[in-house]
Amino acid sequence: MVQKPEDQQGSKGLPHRPQVPLRNDSFLPPHLRSSVTAVPVTPDITQETYESDNSNNSSGGQGPSRGDYFSRRVLDHAIAASPAPDSTNREGQSFHNKVTVGAQEGKNWMNRLTEATMAGRRESMSEFREISPDLALSGNIISATFNIPHSLKYRKGSDWELTPRRGQSALFDSFSYLSSDDSPWNHIVVAWTGEIETPTDTPSPPGTPPTTTVHLSALNHLSKPVPIDGVAPPTPPLVDGLWIPRDDMLRLENQLSHNKRIKTIPVWLADDSDGLDEGIRLKDQARWRRYAEHDLYTLFHYRQHEPTDGRAERVQWADYYRMNQKFANRILEVYKPGDIVIVHDYNLMLLPSMLRQRSPHMYISFYLHSPFPSSEFLRCLPRRKEVLEGVLGANLVGFQSYSYSRHFASCCTRILGFPSDTAGIDAYGGRVEIGVFPIGIDATKVASLAWTDEVNTKYGNLKKLYEGKKVIVGRDRLDTVRGVAQKLMAFERFLEMYPEWREKVVLIQVTSPTSIEEEGDGSESKIASRVSELIMKINGMYGSLGFSPVQHYAQYISQEEYFALLRAADIGLITSVRDGMNTTSLEYVICQRDTAGPLILSEFSGTAGSLKDAIHINPWDLSGVAEAINNALLMPKDKREAMQNSLLAHVTSKNVQFWIVGFLRRLVNVLGSRKNIISTPLLDRSEMLRRYRAAKKRLFMFDYDGTLTPIVREPSAAVPSERVITSLKALAADPQNAVWIISGRDQEFLSHHLGHISGLGFSAEHGSFMRNPGSTEWENLVEKFDMGWQEEVIAVFQKYTDKVPGSFIERKRCALTWHYRLADPEQGLHMSRECQKELEDTVARKWDVEVMPGKANIEVRPTFINKGEIAKRLVNTYNAELKALESHDESARKLEFVLCMGDDFTDEDMFRALNGLSAPNDGTAEVEAENTFSVTVGASTKVTLARWHVLEPQDVIECVALLAGVGGSGTGATDGVLSMGENNLAALAAVEDHIPEKL
């Protein structure tokens, strides 16, 4: 493990230095200048940021106190100018100087910043508050990533063995930087433990080889045991999980929290029945990654599975949902107002929304390290809406390349219906910003590791072994997206097209087993077989007894061998068919400081957009790749060195520190500019189910059009589906539930379509008429009101009906509505505004009525009749009935659960009424705020008084079905898991903390 350099300043504080001058507009990043506001953000752009005074209140070597995992550093902030962008590309600059300057690039702004804070602390804070006076950053960062930075080996009663985890080196380096004294932030990582290795029966010192390999899994398909005489070896019996006592759990948490490089809080993933006070039992640990790797990873890399019956996917989605919720719970244990939460990658795409549900004011960012597909491909994902909505809980979403950010914005528009542009998405009454932030590597660390004595020795051996040969190097995981087969086919084509290079060029290809479960056994064996076939074909056709043009190593190689190989290469060849940020290409650039070997890079790699001076190829164009290899081999030295200098300048300056600092700068800027906007969070179904189960008396109020049924062009066609009727019947059948339909529809319509459900109550025409549950009689609440205004309204409506073809008038007992849904959209909207203005200037001035524009309609009704008054009436009536029962239980004397769902502005009256009834939050309110779920429906970006949101009427019915048990353990269950939707199964599993065996 590479240790961070010691702080050269010591612990006594820094000397006083002069104040940093203020920047003018010419130093602002382009995305903040008015002339280029439409240009998407890139990591090359720098902006204001913040710094610590580096004063460290040490606790004598003790770890963080319980409930506070952050270091106790006193922070101060100021604005500093960004470093020069060309500091690593000066003429005659040495390699070591490039690396050193590049490493300092992310630190120089801190030094100037420290000068400012030490010279005038109060002035710098005042300057910061002028930019965002209400932001109140705490200086703490919580990074959420799927796996901890260590692989774990467990030995009962002993310290855990922690070894660096393979892969994600750039991400873990960014964590190390944020946790170091070079960063002004206090930092903690929240991550899953990963699969914990089962202890052997006989304890032995770490590193002792096993006495047998019988029970060890194969590294890949080719290393599996070969059956003798066609008889496969017996399968060892399944072990009933790994039991870890509570003391050992606490021992690991203590080790991780005191880690000098990265402080980590582990997330323990298990069913509730497997997690007890005495310890935890880990069974089928890989289950928590299956949905992400089987569905998301493959689809994001443009691969689609054959359709299935959905049984496994439902269970995997429930595990994925629960896993994200357990992460949310763990984060909220340590979160404090003002903390910044950064969520990483596709395993945690639901987490931003889950955190937003629980803490609406939280500062959240999300960064996707993998590609993001186009909307045409994402549509193939059954849970596409939930995944997108989960990410939209963040304030800022970052991507590796512009194409990925553009695809995400397009998906939000095409799938969710949210307006978007190149800089963000308008969602739920707020704005979610998007940006492009290509990740870098720790160039200083790579440079130091690549020139150790051991690497130098291995490098010399490789050069001697392949003396007189040109060496092409490829190092990839053996999966479907790395393009190993395409590389071999292109190399075969190269030898065919350019025979003069035969026996003069060797391709050294290293393939390591994939870490993606989906790419295991079946897929990996197919790829391995294909790779083996190609290698045998090439070596057989173009090799000899003394020479093989392809040298293939299907194994993990040591770090020293890896860097020696990159240094010995004459060409680096990367042929990914779809990739995120391929750090091998960046490390190759560092390793080629002396020989300047060209880099041939797939245009489908995430680094292609950053390494513009590399030779870009299309891996599917075999002849094109072959030609690029030939051109690279023949490239003059001066051209190779020019290419290398440009690439090296980029890699050393746009390093991992530059990446994370730029991402945080942009986030702080976004938070400062939109600090007063609170987005409506997605409805937390699991929390709703918990409250529902705990309540003794419950009230439900549903709008009809756009809530229980979709909006249709012809109002008479809005007929409830069988699922709506079944769900409402089951919900109303519970004597603890009072279920009401509060609609603008008239009595006849509601009675005809839903009147046969005896347990339903109805309010027609926005509260003009009421029918209690179990009754067939309607009560007229406006019978004493003068309806003379209707004649004048009809006259106005008729005038506009004659002008607008397709429009018509709907006459109700107490209201009149002019519909233009069937008319030309532009004409209908234009004429509706004129009609509304005329009514407000005439009828509304004479009569006590209000003119209400709706969805492709205008309605006129008495002012004192609205859905909000009905909501108040129902809450007060049921509370009065409960109080009359004279229960000794104080909580049973009022409603303990209220769910109100509607889609348009007339339903805002209900939300407003419930907000008033649930205040103050001191136990004296008519209904407690935490038991009140006001939910707006639809993909509109309207500002709402509701506390929650769902996307469409189908989500409303799923919520009703979840509470009523339709399709689950209650009424209507027929097929177990298959009878319940994935989202409801996930919410139910989250509440019960395990997948129900019988649903």
Side-chain angles (χ1 to χ4, degrees), residues 858-890:
I858 296 177
E859 183 164 289
V860 182
R861 67 182 183 190
T863 303
F864 65 90
I865 295 298
N866 62 66
K867 294 182 178 181
E869 294 300 321
I870 297 300
K872 291 180 184 178
R873 178 171 179 158
L874 292 176
V875 171
N876 292 330
T877 298
Y878 285 110
N879 277 348
E881 292 178 359
L882 292 172
K883 291 175 183 177
L885 297 176
E886 298 182 355
S887 172
H888 295 291
D889 184 358
E890 185 66 27

Side-chain angles (χ1 to χ4, degrees), residues 648-756:
L648 190 61
H650 174 87
V651 173
T652 54
S653 61
K654 305 304 184 292
N655 53 26
V656 70
Q657 294 90 346
F658 184 92
W659 165 69
I660 192 62
V661 169
F663 188 57
L664 286 169
R665 288 181 196 155
R666 179 67 201 281
L667 175 62
V668 171
N669 183 267
V670 168
L671 294 173
S673 63
R674 301 185 177 275
K675 54 188 174 298
N676 295 322
I677 296 178
I678 302 297
S679 299
T680 307
L682 184 67
L683 176 62
D684 187 344
R685 297 191 191 188
S686 57
E687 180 63 18
M688 178 183 68
L689 181 59
R690 287 190 186 95
R691 298 285 178 178
Y692 174 85
R693 288 183 169 184
K696 297 178 181 178
K697 187 62 179 179
R698 318 174 186 109
L699 172 62
F700 299 84
M701 294 176 283
F702 300 108
D703 177 39
Y704 184 79
D705 291 287
T707 302
L708 293 177
T709 62
I711 295 293
V712 294
R713 290 178 61 84
E714 175 57 49
S716 61
V719 178
S721 66
E722 185 62 32
R723 182 161 175 78
V724 170
I725 294 174
T726 301
S727 301
L728 289 176
K729 278 183 178 180
L731 194 67
D734 190 331
Q736 293 179 307
N737 296 341
V739 185
W740 284 76
I741 309 299
I742 302 178
S743 173
R745 292 282 189 167
D746 59 24
Q747 304 145 273
E748 181 181 355
F749 182 92
L750 294 177
S751 297
H752 176 71
H753 292 289
L754 296 173
H756 61 285

Side-chain angles (χ1 to χ4, degrees), residues 311-576:
R311 294 174 186 267
E313 285 78 4
R314 283 172 167 80
V315 175
Q316 290 168 8
W317 170 257
D319 283 334
Y320 184 76
Y321 183 98
R322 279 198 301 152
M323 181 263 292
N324 276 260
Q325 194 159 75
K326 288 176 183 290
F327 266 80
N329 295 339
R330 195 65 158 142
I331 289 171
L332 289 169
E333 290 177 8
V334 297
Y335 168 79
K336 294 178 180 179
D339 292 355
I340 287 177
V341 179
I342 306 177
V343 182
H344 291 274
D345 228 1
Y346 57 88
N347 300 89
L348 301 175
M349 297 188 81
L350 303 183
L351 183 55
S353 182
M354 288 179 172
L355 291 172
R356 183 71 63 204
Q357 291 167 354
R358 309 271 288 277
S359 182
H361 299 271
M362 185 180 288
Y363 304 148
I364 306 171
S365 60
F366 177 84
Y367 189 84
L368 185 67
H369 294 259
S370 73
F372 195 88
S374 66
S375 59
E376 287 77 9
F377 218 81
L378 190 70
R379 288 177 187 273
C380 300
L381 184 68
R383 301 267 65 83
R384 56 191 183 270
K385 291 185 295 184
E386 290 78 11
V387 168
L388 290 174
E389 285 185 315
V391 175
L392 290 177
N395 301 99
L396 172 67
V397 182
F399 297 91
Q400 299 275 19
S401 74
Y402 173 69
S403 62
Y404 302 159
S405 69
R406 180 169 53 84
H407 288 162
F408 179 78
S410 174
C411 288
C412 291
T413 299
R414 294 176 179 271
I415 295 174
L416 299 181
F418 293 147
S420 66
D421 52 41
T422 56
I425 299 102
D426 297 321
Y428 320 132
R431 174 81 169 175
V432 179
E433 299 287 341
I434 57 177
V436 181
F437 309 90
I439 200 170
I441 60 173
D442 189 338
T444 304
K445 186 182 86 169
V446 172
S448 63
L449 293 175
W451 270 270
T452 63
D453 291 341
E454 188 172 355
V455 172
N456 290 336
T457 300
K458 293 182 181 297
Y459 166 75
N461 292 337
L462 284 171
K463 295 300 289 184
K464 183 177 180 180
L465 179 63
Y466 295 104
E467 186 176 0
K469 302 287 193 299
K470 293 292 186 179
V471 177
I472 302 174
V473 167
R475 188 259 195 176
D476 307 273
R477 288 203 308 265
L478 193 61
D479 59 27
T480 55
V481 303
R482 303 298 173 177
V484 178
Q486 285 82 352
K487 183 184 302 183
L488 292 169
M489 289 188 287
F491 185 65
E492 179 186 9
R493 179 63 174 152
F494 162 74
L495 295 176
E496 177 187 351
M497 292 174 61
Y498 303 97
E500 65 272 18
W501 285 111
R502 296 173 187 175
E503 298 195 6
K504 296 180 182 179
V505 177
V506 60
L507 169 62
I508 303 177
Q509 176 63 48
V510 178
T511 55
S512 57
T514 178
S515 60
I516 303 299
E517 185 180 81
E518 168 59 19
E519 299 285 358
D521 294 340
S523 298
E524 186 177 357
S525 62
K526 293 179 181 178
I527 301 168
S529 298
R530 177 60 175 155
V531 167
S532 297
E533 291 174 3
L534 288 169
I535 292 172
M536 287 188 291
K537 178 182 178 183
I538 296 171
N539 288 341
M541 183 174 295
Y542 300 105
S544 63
L545 290 177
F547 174 73
S548 296
V550 179
Q551 299 291 325
H552 181 222
Y553 301 93
Q555 63 188 65
Y556 287 117
I557 60 175
S558 68
Q559 182 174 267
E560 293 76 17
E561 290 172 324
Y562 170 64
F563 285 123
L565 196 59
L566 294 187
R567 285 178 55 187
D570 294 289
I571 293 177
L573 182 56
I574 297 174
T575 55
S576 308

Side-chain angles (χ1 to χ4, degrees), residues 222-238:
L222 298 180
S223 64
K224 288 183 178 180
V226 179
I228 300 176
D229 298 328
V231 179
T235 302
L238 295 176

